[in-house]
Amino acid sequence: DIQMTQSPSSLSASVGDRVTITCRASQNIASFLNWYQQHPGKAPRLLIYTTSNLEPGVPSRFSGSGSGTDFTLTISSLQPEDFSTYYCQQSYNNPPTFGQGTKLEIK
Amino acid sequence: QVQLVESGGGLVKPGGSLRLSCAGSGFTFSDSYMTWIRQAPGKGLEWISYISSHATTTYYADSVKGRFTISRDNAKNSLYLQMNDLRVEDAAVYYCAREGGAAADFYFDLWGQGALVTVSS
């Protein structure tokens, strides 16, 4: 199985900050990388698929980039509702696997 | 309203069985590839099973293979997960999710609210 490793595991930031979360795959996954947001007690929500495609309804302050083994999720200007946990997930092959999550907290 | 709604969670003893259901609405369920994903308390997400739109193809994670069975009834817009020989480590919130994109794209654009399964004696 492909291992997905996110960094950092947790992050403190302020409203208005620009933040970047990194995801690394244990092997080349081309552009088959997706990002999800999960608030406590809620189901995950797809933010970005195939590295950089924004899911409809997701604010444009979210963006994704990368290829091969290294990927990033960037939030250009943090809003209060963005404080949450973020997961990357590879869809290159079966089984699809997730990173361990990055918890974004208010500083 | 486009949504998935799970039901059937609960408390079961180790070695017991449980069947989860997931009802889809607001979209063409019979065209959709579906998945079950679980999340143990305080932990990350684990994909566990997939079924193609007409149930011709299924996949399972090694952790549940031989114990869990995924199925669907397109006439009822419903997805199921039959869980047998449950273990303490199967305790989790179970989400049904719809595959985005084309067949077996393995990303998930619509999620249910989750069903809590507790395995304890």
PDB file of all heavy atoms in Angstrom, chain B residues 13-49:
ATOM      1  N   LYS B  13     -21.280  -7.142  20.441  1.00  0.00           N
ATOM      2  CA  LYS B  13     -20.209  -7.862  21.134  1.00  0.00           C
ATOM      3  C   LYS B  13     -19.177  -8.382  20.143  1.00  0.00           C
ATOM      4  O   LYS B  13     -19.514  -8.642  18.982  1.00  0.00           O
ATOM      5  CB  LYS B  13     -20.788  -9.022  21.929  1.00  0.00           C
ATOM      6  CG  LYS B  13     -21.597  -8.619  23.160  1.00  0.00           C
ATOM      7  CD  LYS B  13     -22.115  -9.838  23.899  1.00  0.00           C
ATOM      8  CE  LYS B  13     -22.674  -9.504  25.260  1.00  0.00           C
ATOM      9  NZ  LYS B  13     -23.716  -8.481  25.240  1.00  0.00           N
ATOM     10  N   PRO B  14     -17.946  -8.548  20.597  1.00  0.00           N
ATOM     11  CA  PRO B  14     -16.936  -9.158  19.714  1.00  0.00           C
ATOM     12  C   PRO B  14     -17.440 -10.494  19.184  1.00  0.00           C
ATOM     13  O   PRO B  14     -18.024 -11.289  19.917  1.00  0.00           O
ATOM     14  CB  PRO B  14     -15.739  -9.335  20.641  1.00  0.00           C
ATOM     15  CG  PRO B  14     -15.895  -8.253  21.665  1.00  0.00           C
ATOM     16  CD  PRO B  14     -17.376  -8.125  21.891  1.00  0.00           C
ATOM     17  N   GLY B  15     -17.216 -10.702  17.886  1.00  0.00           N
ATOM     18  CA  GLY B  15     -17.708 -11.893  17.217  1.00  0.00           C
ATOM     19  C   GLY B  15     -19.100 -11.728  16.644  1.00  0.00           C
ATOM     20  O   GLY B  15     -19.562 -12.594  15.883  1.00  0.00           O
ATOM     21  N   GLY B  16     -19.761 -10.652  16.957  1.00  0.00           N
ATOM     22  CA  GLY B  16     -21.125 -10.421  16.485  1.00  0.00           C
ATOM     23  C   GLY B  16     -21.167  -9.836  15.089  1.00  0.00           C
ATOM     24  O   GLY B  16     -20.143  -9.648  14.426  1.00  0.00           O
ATOM     25  N   SER B  17     -22.390  -9.563  14.642  1.00  0.00           N
ATOM     26  CA  SER B  17     -22.631  -9.050  13.289  1.00  0.00           C
ATOM     27  C   SER B  17     -23.487  -7.800  13.331  1.00  0.00           C
ATOM     28  O   SER B  17     -24.251  -7.575  14.286  1.00  0.00           O
ATOM     29  CB  SER B  17     -23.343 -10.115  12.444  1.00  0.00           C
ATOM     30  OG  SER B  17     -22.548 -11.259  12.290  1.00  0.00           O
ATOM     31  N   LEU B  18     -23.366  -7.011  12.280  1.00  0.00           N
ATOM     32  CA  LEU B  18     -24.139  -5.786  12.145  1.00  0.00           C
ATOM     33  C   LEU B  18     -24.243  -5.473  10.660  1.00  0.00           C
ATOM     34  O   LEU B  18     -23.322  -5.781   9.887  1.00  0.00           O
ATOM     35  CB  LEU B  18     -23.444  -4.642  12.879  1.00  0.00           C
ATOM     36  CG  LEU B  18     -24.247  -3.473  13.434  1.00  0.00           C
ATOM     37  CD1 LEU B  18     -25.313  -3.952  14.422  1.00  0.00           C
ATOM     38  CD2 LEU B  18     -23.324  -2.478  14.112  1.00  0.00           C
ATOM     39  N   ARG B  19     -25.354  -4.869  10.256  1.00  0.00           N
ATOM     40  CA  ARG B  19     -25.513  -4.476   8.859  1.00  0.00           C
ATOM     41  C   ARG B  19     -25.780  -2.982   8.806  1.00  0.00           C
ATOM     42  O   ARG B  19     -26.762  -2.499   9.384  1.00  0.00           O
ATOM     43  CB  ARG B  19     -26.668  -5.225   8.212  1.00  0.00           C
ATOM     44  CG  ARG B  19     -26.778  -4.997   6.704  1.00  0.00           C
ATOM     45  CD  ARG B  19     -28.141  -5.438   6.197  1.00  0.00           C
ATOM     46  NE  ARG B  19     -28.164  -5.628   4.749  1.00  0.00           N
ATOM     47  CZ  ARG B  19     -29.262  -5.526   4.011  1.00  0.00           C
ATOM     48  NH1 ARG B  19     -30.425  -5.230   4.586  1.00  0.00           N
ATOM     49  NH2 ARG B  19     -29.212  -5.738   2.715  1.00  0.00           N
ATOM     50  N   LEU B  20     -24.941  -2.272   8.092  1.00  0.00           N
ATOM     51  CA  LEU B  20     -25.129  -0.844   7.867  1.00  0.00           C
ATOM     52  C   LEU B  20     -25.842  -0.619   6.545  1.00  0.00           C
ATOM     53  O   LEU B  20     -25.626  -1.355   5.584  1.00  0.00           O
ATOM     54  CB  LEU B  20     -23.784  -0.126   7.852  1.00  0.00           C
ATOM     55  CG  LEU B  20     -22.915  -0.245   9.092  1.00  0.00           C
ATOM     56  CD1 LEU B  20     -21.630   0.567   8.906  1.00  0.00           C
ATOM     57  CD2 LEU B  20     -23.649   0.202  10.328  1.00  0.00           C
ATOM     58  N   SER B  21     -26.651   0.422   6.521  1.00  0.00           N
ATOM     59  CA  SER B  21     -27.335   0.835   5.292  1.00  0.00           C
ATOM     60  C   SER B  21     -27.000   2.284   4.994  1.00  0.00           C
ATOM     61  O   SER B  21     -26.672   3.065   5.893  1.00  0.00           O
ATOM     62  CB  SER B  21     -28.850   0.688   5.432  1.00  0.00           C
ATOM     63  OG  SER B  21     -29.208  -0.646   5.678  1.00  0.00           O
ATOM     64  N   CYS B  22     -27.083   2.624   3.733  1.00  0.00           N
ATOM     65  CA  CYS B  22     -26.824   3.999   3.290  1.00  0.00           C
ATOM     66  C   CYS B  22     -27.800   4.315   2.173  1.00  0.00           C
ATOM     67  O   CYS B  22     -27.794   3.634   1.140  1.00  0.00           O
ATOM     68  CB  CYS B  22     -25.388   4.117   2.808  1.00  0.00           C
ATOM     69  SG  CYS B  22     -24.990   5.661   1.966  1.00  0.00           S
ATOM     70  N   ALA B  23     -28.651   5.302   2.398  1.00  0.00           N
ATOM     71  CA  ALA B  23     -29.652   5.679   1.405  1.00  0.00           C
ATOM     72  C   ALA B  23     -29.213   6.934   0.675  1.00  0.00           C
ATOM     73  O   ALA B  23     -28.901   7.952   1.309  1.00  0.00           O
ATOM     74  CB  ALA B  23     -31.000   5.906   2.083  1.00  0.00           C
ATOM     75  N   GLY B  24     -29.213   6.865  -0.640  1.00  0.00           N
ATOM     76  CA  GLY B  24     -28.852   8.014  -1.447  1.00  0.00           C
ATOM     77  C   GLY B  24     -30.076   8.699  -2.016  1.00  0.00           C
ATOM     78  O   GLY B  24     -31.083   8.051  -2.316  1.00  0.00           O
ATOM     79  N   SER B  25     -29.993  10.013  -2.172  1.00  0.00           N
ATOM     80  CA  SER B  25     -31.091  10.763  -2.776  1.00  0.00           C
ATOM     81  C   SER B  25     -30.562  12.014  -3.453  1.00  0.00           C
ATOM     82  O   SER B  25     -29.474  12.502  -3.114  1.00  0.00           O
ATOM     83  CB  SER B  25     -32.138  11.137  -1.719  1.00  0.00           C
ATOM     84  OG  SER B  25     -31.568  11.921  -0.702  1.00  0.00           O
ATOM     85  N   GLY B  26     -31.325  12.495  -4.433  1.00  0.00           N
ATOM     86  CA  GLY B  26     -30.962  13.729  -5.115  1.00  0.00           C
ATOM     87  C   GLY B  26     -29.961  13.560  -6.238  1.00  0.00           C
ATOM     88  O   GLY B  26     -29.539  14.557  -6.839  1.00  0.00           O
ATOM     89  N   PHE B  27     -29.570  12.325  -6.520  1.00  0.00           N
ATOM     90  CA  PHE B  27     -28.654  12.056  -7.623  1.00  0.00           C
ATOM     91  C   PHE B  27     -28.964  10.666  -8.165  1.00  0.00           C
ATOM     92  O   PHE B  27     -29.726   9.900  -7.556  1.00  0.00           O
ATOM     93  CB  PHE B  27     -27.189  12.164  -7.185  1.00  0.00           C
ATOM     94  CG  PHE B  27     -26.764  11.154  -6.145  1.00  0.00           C
ATOM     95  CD1 PHE B  27     -26.073  10.013  -6.511  1.00  0.00           C
ATOM     96  CD2 PHE B  27     -27.051  11.350  -4.801  1.00  0.00           C
ATOM     97  CE1 PHE B  27     -25.675   9.082  -5.565  1.00  0.00           C
ATOM     98  CE2 PHE B  27     -26.664  10.435  -3.848  1.00  0.00           C
ATOM     99  CZ  PHE B  27     -25.971   9.288  -4.226  1.00  0.00           C
ATOM    100  N   THR B  28     -28.365  10.335  -9.303  1.00  0.00           N
ATOM    101  CA  THR B  28     -28.624   9.043  -9.924  1.00  0.00           C
ATOM    102  C   THR B  28     -27.763   7.989  -9.250  1.00  0.00           C
ATOM    103  O   THR B  28     -26.609   7.759  -9.638  1.00  0.00           O
ATOM    104  CB  THR B  28     -28.368   9.092 -11.435  1.00  0.00           C
ATOM    105  OG1 THR B  28     -29.106  10.172 -12.016  1.00  0.00           O
ATOM    106  CG2 THR B  28     -28.809   7.777 -12.086  1.00  0.00           C
ATOM    107  N   PHE B  29     -28.345   7.354  -8.240  1.00  0.00           N
ATOM    108  CA  PHE B  29     -27.580   6.395  -7.428  1.00  0.00           C
ATOM    109  C   PHE B  29     -27.058   5.247  -8.294  1.00  0.00           C
ATOM    110  O   PHE B  29     -25.927   4.808  -8.114  1.00  0.00           O
ATOM    111  CB  PHE B  29     -28.480   5.866  -6.319  1.00  0.00           C
ATOM    112  CG  PHE B  29     -27.787   4.954  -5.348  1.00  0.00           C
ATOM    113  CD1 PHE B  29     -27.061   5.453  -4.287  1.00  0.00           C
ATOM    114  CD2 PHE B  29     -27.864   3.565  -5.507  1.00  0.00           C
ATOM    115  CE1 PHE B  29     -26.426   4.612  -3.393  1.00  0.00           C
ATOM    116  CE2 PHE B  29     -27.237   2.717  -4.624  1.00  0.00           C
ATOM    117  CZ  PHE B  29     -26.507   3.239  -3.561  1.00  0.00           C
ATOM    118  N   SER B  30     -27.853   4.801  -9.234  1.00  0.00           N
ATOM    119  CA  SER B  30     -27.468   3.621 -10.026  1.00  0.00           C
ATOM    120  C   SER B  30     -26.276   3.877 -10.946  1.00  0.00           C
ATOM    121  O   SER B  30     -25.687   2.932 -11.463  1.00  0.00           O
ATOM    122  CB  SER B  30     -28.662   3.129 -10.842  1.00  0.00           C
ATOM    123  OG  SER B  30     -29.125   4.145 -11.704  1.00  0.00           O
ATOM    124  N   ASP B  31     -25.926   5.140 -11.150  1.00  0.00           N
ATOM    125  CA  ASP B  31     -24.747   5.483 -11.961  1.00  0.00           C
ATOM    126  C   ASP B  31     -23.493   5.669 -11.105  1.00  0.00           C
ATOM    127  O   ASP B  31     -22.411   5.877 -11.642  1.00  0.00           O
ATOM    128  CB  ASP B  31     -24.987   6.781 -12.740  1.00  0.00           C
ATOM    129  CG  ASP B  31     -25.931   6.604 -13.902  1.00  0.00           C
ATOM    130  OD1 ASP B  31     -26.198   5.447 -14.285  1.00  0.00           O
ATOM    131  OD2 ASP B  31     -26.426   7.633 -14.417  1.00  0.00           O
ATOM    132  N   SER B  32     -23.672   5.619  -9.796  1.00  0.00           N
ATOM    133  CA  SER B  32     -22.594   6.001  -8.889  1.00  0.00           C
ATOM    134  C   SER B  32     -21.840   4.803  -8.339  1.00  0.00           C
ATOM    135  O   SER B  32     -22.445   3.796  -7.956  1.00  0.00           O
ATOM    136  CB  SER B  32     -23.159   6.813  -7.718  1.00  0.00           C
ATOM    137  OG  SER B  32     -23.791   7.988  -8.183  1.00  0.00           O
ATOM    138  N   TYR B  33     -20.518   4.941  -8.290  1.00  0.00           N
ATOM    139  CA  TYR B  33     -19.665   3.979  -7.622  1.00  0.00           C
ATOM    140  C   TYR B  33     -19.590   4.399  -6.157  1.00  0.00           C
ATOM    141  O   TYR B  33     -19.451   5.576  -5.854  1.00  0.00           O
ATOM    142  CB  TYR B  33     -18.277   3.963  -8.258  1.00  0.00           C
ATOM    143  CG  TYR B  33     -18.274   3.402  -9.657  1.00  0.00           C
ATOM    144  CD1 TYR B  33     -18.942   4.048 -10.701  1.00  0.00           C
ATOM    145  CD2 TYR B  33     -17.619   2.211  -9.941  1.00  0.00           C
ATOM    146  CE1 TYR B  33     -18.950   3.514 -11.979  1.00  0.00           C
ATOM    147  CE2 TYR B  33     -17.616   1.678 -11.222  1.00  0.00           C
ATOM    148  CZ  TYR B  33     -18.285   2.327 -12.228  1.00  0.00           C
ATOM    149  OH  TYR B  33     -18.295   1.796 -13.495  1.00  0.00           O
ATOM    150  N   MET B  34     -19.677   3.428  -5.271  1.00  0.00           N
ATOM    151  CA  MET B  34     -19.833   3.744  -3.849  1.00  0.00           C
ATOM    152  C   MET B  34     -18.772   3.072  -2.999  1.00  0.00           C
ATOM    153  O   MET B  34     -18.206   2.024  -3.376  1.00  0.00           O
ATOM    154  CB  MET B  34     -21.221   3.312  -3.374  1.00  0.00           C
ATOM    155  CG  MET B  34     -22.387   3.982  -4.097  1.00  0.00           C
ATOM    156  SD  MET B  34     -22.460   5.765  -3.884  1.00  0.00           S
ATOM    157  CE  MET B  34     -22.752   5.887  -2.113  1.00  0.00           C
ATOM    158  N   THR B  35     -18.549   3.629  -1.828  1.00  0.00           N
ATOM    159  CA  THR B  35     -17.445   3.227  -0.961  1.00  0.00           C
ATOM    160  C   THR B  35     -17.867   3.319   0.498  1.00  0.00           C
ATOM    161  O   THR B  35     -18.744   4.124   0.844  1.00  0.00           O
ATOM    162  CB  THR B  35     -16.252   4.170  -1.220  1.00  0.00           C
ATOM    163  OG1 THR B  35     -15.662   3.851  -2.476  1.00  0.00           O
ATOM    164  CG2 THR B  35     -15.181   4.060  -0.163  1.00  0.00           C
ATOM    165  N   TRP B  36     -17.238   2.494   1.313  1.00  0.00           N
ATOM    166  CA  TRP B  36     -17.321   2.645   2.772  1.00  0.00           C
ATOM    167  C   TRP B  36     -15.937   3.030   3.292  1.00  0.00           C
ATOM    168  O   TRP B  36     -14.916   2.431   2.890  1.00  0.00           O
ATOM    169  CB  TRP B  36     -17.782   1.357   3.447  1.00  0.00           C
ATOM    170  CG  TRP B  36     -19.227   1.037   3.230  1.00  0.00           C
ATOM    171  CD1 TRP B  36     -19.756   0.172   2.294  1.00  0.00           C
ATOM    172  CD2 TRP B  36     -20.342   1.557   3.954  1.00  0.00           C
ATOM    173  NE1 TRP B  36     -21.127   0.134   2.397  1.00  0.00           N
ATOM    174  CE2 TRP B  36     -21.508   0.964   3.410  1.00  0.00           C
ATOM    175  CE3 TRP B  36     -20.482   2.460   5.010  1.00  0.00           C
ATOM    176  CZ2 TRP B  36     -22.795   1.260   3.894  1.00  0.00           C
ATOM    177  CZ3 TRP B  36     -21.756   2.740   5.489  1.00  0.00           C
ATOM    178  CH2 TRP B  36     -22.888   2.145   4.932  1.00  0.00           C
ATOM    179  N   ILE B  37     -15.919   3.991   4.175  1.00  0.00           N
ATOM    180  CA  ILE B  37     -14.701   4.482   4.810  1.00  0.00           C
ATOM    181  C   ILE B  37     -14.994   4.583   6.296  1.00  0.00           C
ATOM    182  O   ILE B  37     -16.103   4.968   6.690  1.00  0.00           O
ATOM    183  CB  ILE B  37     -14.312   5.865   4.242  1.00  0.00           C
ATOM    184  CG1 ILE B  37     -13.902   5.729   2.770  1.00  0.00           C
ATOM    185  CG2 ILE B  37     -13.190   6.514   5.049  1.00  0.00           C
ATOM    186  CD1 ILE B  37     -13.875   7.033   2.008  1.00  0.00           C
ATOM    187  N   ARG B  38     -14.028   4.227   7.130  1.00  0.00           N
ATOM    188  CA  ARG B  38     -14.271   4.298   8.566  1.00  0.00           C
ATOM    189  C   ARG B  38     -13.222   5.149   9.266  1.00  0.00           C
ATOM    190  O   ARG B  38     -12.146   5.402   8.743  1.00  0.00           O
ATOM    191  CB  ARG B  38     -14.325   2.903   9.177  1.00  0.00           C
ATOM    192  CG  ARG B  38     -12.997   2.157   9.213  1.00  0.00           C
ATOM    193  CD  ARG B  38     -13.204   0.743   9.762  1.00  0.00           C
ATOM    194  NE  ARG B  38     -11.957  -0.008   9.801  1.00  0.00           N
ATOM    195  CZ  ARG B  38     -11.865  -1.284  10.167  1.00  0.00           C
ATOM    196  NH1 ARG B  38     -12.973  -1.957  10.507  1.00  0.00           N
ATOM    197  NH2 ARG B  38     -10.697  -1.893  10.181  1.00  0.00           N
ATOM    198  N   GLN B  39     -13.580   5.559  10.477  1.00  0.00           N
ATOM    199  CA  GLN B  39     -12.698   6.401  11.280  1.00  0.00           C
ATOM    200  C   GLN B  39     -12.834   5.984  12.737  1.00  0.00           C
ATOM    201  O   GLN B  39     -13.879   6.223  13.362  1.00  0.00           O
ATOM    202  CB  GLN B  39     -13.055   7.875  11.102  1.00  0.00           C
ATOM    203  CG  GLN B  39     -12.115   8.840  11.782  1.00  0.00           C
ATOM    204  CD  GLN B  39     -12.400  10.276  11.378  1.00  0.00           C
ATOM    205  OE1 GLN B  39     -13.539  10.674  11.163  1.00  0.00           O
ATOM    206  NE2 GLN B  39     -11.345  11.069  11.243  1.00  0.00           N
ATOM    207  N   ALA B  40     -11.800   5.334  13.257  1.00  0.00           N
ATOM    208  CA  ALA B  40     -11.788   4.958  14.663  1.00  0.00           C
ATOM    209  C   ALA B  40     -11.742   6.220  15.520  1.00  0.00           C
ATOM    210  O   ALA B  40     -11.267   7.269  15.064  1.00  0.00           O
ATOM    211  CB  ALA B  40     -10.594   4.058  14.949  1.00  0.00           C
ATOM    212  N   PRO B  41     -12.215   6.138  16.762  1.00  0.00           N
ATOM    213  CA  PRO B  41     -12.261   7.334  17.614  1.00  0.00           C
ATOM    214  C   PRO B  41     -10.910   8.021  17.723  1.00  0.00           C
ATOM    215  O   PRO B  41      -9.910   7.402  18.086  1.00  0.00           O
ATOM    216  CB  PRO B  41     -12.713   6.758  18.962  1.00  0.00           C
ATOM    217  CG  PRO B  41     -13.468   5.539  18.614  1.00  0.00           C
ATOM    218  CD  PRO B  41     -12.779   4.949  17.413  1.00  0.00           C
ATOM    219  N   GLY B  42     -10.876   9.300  17.388  1.00  0.00           N
ATOM    220  CA  GLY B  42      -9.652  10.086  17.490  1.00  0.00           C
ATOM    221  C   GLY B  42      -8.591   9.752  16.460  1.00  0.00           C
ATOM    222  O   GLY B  42      -7.454  10.233  16.569  1.00  0.00           O
ATOM    223  N   LYS B  43      -8.943   8.945  15.467  1.00  0.00           N
ATOM    224  CA  LYS B  43      -7.956   8.494  14.479  1.00  0.00           C
ATOM    225  C   LYS B  43      -8.269   9.049  13.091  1.00  0.00           C
ATOM    226  O   LYS B  43      -9.218   9.816  12.907  1.00  0.00           O
ATOM    227  CB  LYS B  43      -7.946   6.957  14.434  1.00  0.00           C
ATOM    228  CG  LYS B  43      -7.608   6.301  15.763  1.00  0.00           C
ATOM    229  CD  LYS B  43      -6.221   6.654  16.237  1.00  0.00           C
ATOM    230  CE  LYS B  43      -5.874   5.903  17.524  1.00  0.00           C
ATOM    231  NZ  LYS B  43      -4.525   6.269  18.018  1.00  0.00           N
ATOM    232  N   GLY B  44      -7.472   8.618  12.117  1.00  0.00           N
ATOM    233  CA  GLY B  44      -7.637   9.069  10.754  1.00  0.00           C
ATOM    234  C   GLY B  44      -8.625   8.215   9.977  1.00  0.00           C
ATOM    235  O   GLY B  44      -9.339   7.375  10.523  1.00  0.00           O
ATOM    236  N   LEU B  45      -8.643   8.442   8.672  1.00  0.00           N
ATOM    237  CA  LEU B  45      -9.605   7.799   7.788  1.00  0.00           C
ATOM    238  C   LEU B  45      -9.013   6.536   7.167  1.00  0.00           C
ATOM    239  O   LEU B  45      -7.861   6.512   6.740  1.00  0.00           O
ATOM    240  CB  LEU B  45     -10.003   8.782   6.684  1.00  0.00           C
ATOM    241  CG  LEU B  45     -10.668  10.070   7.196  1.00  0.00           C
ATOM    242  CD1 LEU B  45     -10.648  11.142   6.121  1.00  0.00           C
ATOM    243  CD2 LEU B  45     -12.093   9.774   7.642  1.00  0.00           C
ATOM    244  N   GLU B  46      -9.841   5.495   7.089  1.00  0.00           N
ATOM    245  CA  GLU B  46      -9.422   4.218   6.504  1.00  0.00           C
ATOM    246  C   GLU B  46     -10.469   3.770   5.488  1.00  0.00           C
ATOM    247  O   GLU B  46     -11.621   3.490   5.853  1.00  0.00           O
ATOM    248  CB  GLU B  46      -9.262   3.148   7.578  1.00  0.00           C
ATOM    249  CG  GLU B  46      -8.837   1.788   7.024  1.00  0.00           C
ATOM    250  CD  GLU B  46      -8.874   0.677   8.050  1.00  0.00           C
ATOM    251  OE1 GLU B  46      -9.479   0.857   9.127  1.00  0.00           O
ATOM    252  OE2 GLU B  46      -8.311  -0.410   7.762  1.00  0.00           O
ATOM    253  N   TRP B  47     -10.079   3.667   4.234  1.00  0.00           N
ATOM    254  CA  TRP B  47     -10.953   3.111   3.211  1.00  0.00           C
ATOM    255  C   TRP B  47     -11.121   1.620   3.456  1.00  0.00           C
ATOM    256  O   TRP B  47     -10.132   0.926   3.751  1.00  0.00           O
ATOM    257  CB  TRP B  47     -10.347   3.351   1.831  1.00  0.00           C
ATOM    258  CG  TRP B  47     -11.057   2.654   0.728  1.00  0.00           C
ATOM    259  CD1 TRP B  47     -12.100   3.119  -0.003  1.00  0.00           C
ATOM    260  CD2 TRP B  47     -10.774   1.346   0.222  1.00  0.00           C
ATOM    261  NE1 TRP B  47     -12.483   2.180  -0.934  1.00  0.00           N
ATOM    262  CE2 TRP B  47     -11.686   1.078  -0.810  1.00  0.00           C
ATOM    263  CE3 TRP B  47      -9.837   0.366   0.556  1.00  0.00           C
ATOM    264  CZ2 TRP B  47     -11.693  -0.107  -1.519  1.00  0.00           C
ATOM    265  CZ3 TRP B  47      -9.833  -0.825  -0.146  1.00  0.00           C
ATOM    266  CH2 TRP B  47     -10.755  -1.052  -1.177  1.00  0.00           C
ATOM    267  N   ILE B  48     -12.337   1.091   3.344  1.00  0.00           N
ATOM    268  CA  ILE B  48     -12.509  -0.328   3.598  1.00  0.00           C
ATOM    269  C   ILE B  48     -13.169  -1.104   2.460  1.00  0.00           C
ATOM    270  O   ILE B  48     -12.912  -2.302   2.309  1.00  0.00           O
ATOM    271  CB  ILE B  48     -13.247  -0.614   4.918  1.00  0.00           C
ATOM    272  CG1 ILE B  48     -14.617   0.056   4.963  1.00  0.00           C
ATOM    273  CG2 ILE B  48     -12.401  -0.226   6.112  1.00  0.00           C
ATOM    274  CD1 ILE B  48     -15.435  -0.391   6.151  1.00  0.00           C
ATOM    275  N   SER B  49     -13.997  -0.464   1.626  1.00  0.00           N
ATOM    276  CA  SER B  49     -14.638  -1.254   0.588  1.00  0.00           C
ATOM    277  C   SER B  49     -15.223  -0.373  -0.500  1.00  0.00           C
ATOM    278  O   SER B  49     -15.558   0.793  -0.257  1.00  0.00           O
ATOM    279  CB  SER B  49     -15.747  -2.131   1.181  1.00  0.00           C
ATOM    280  OG  SER B  49     -16.255  -3.035   0.220  1.00  0.00           O
TER     281      SER B  49
END
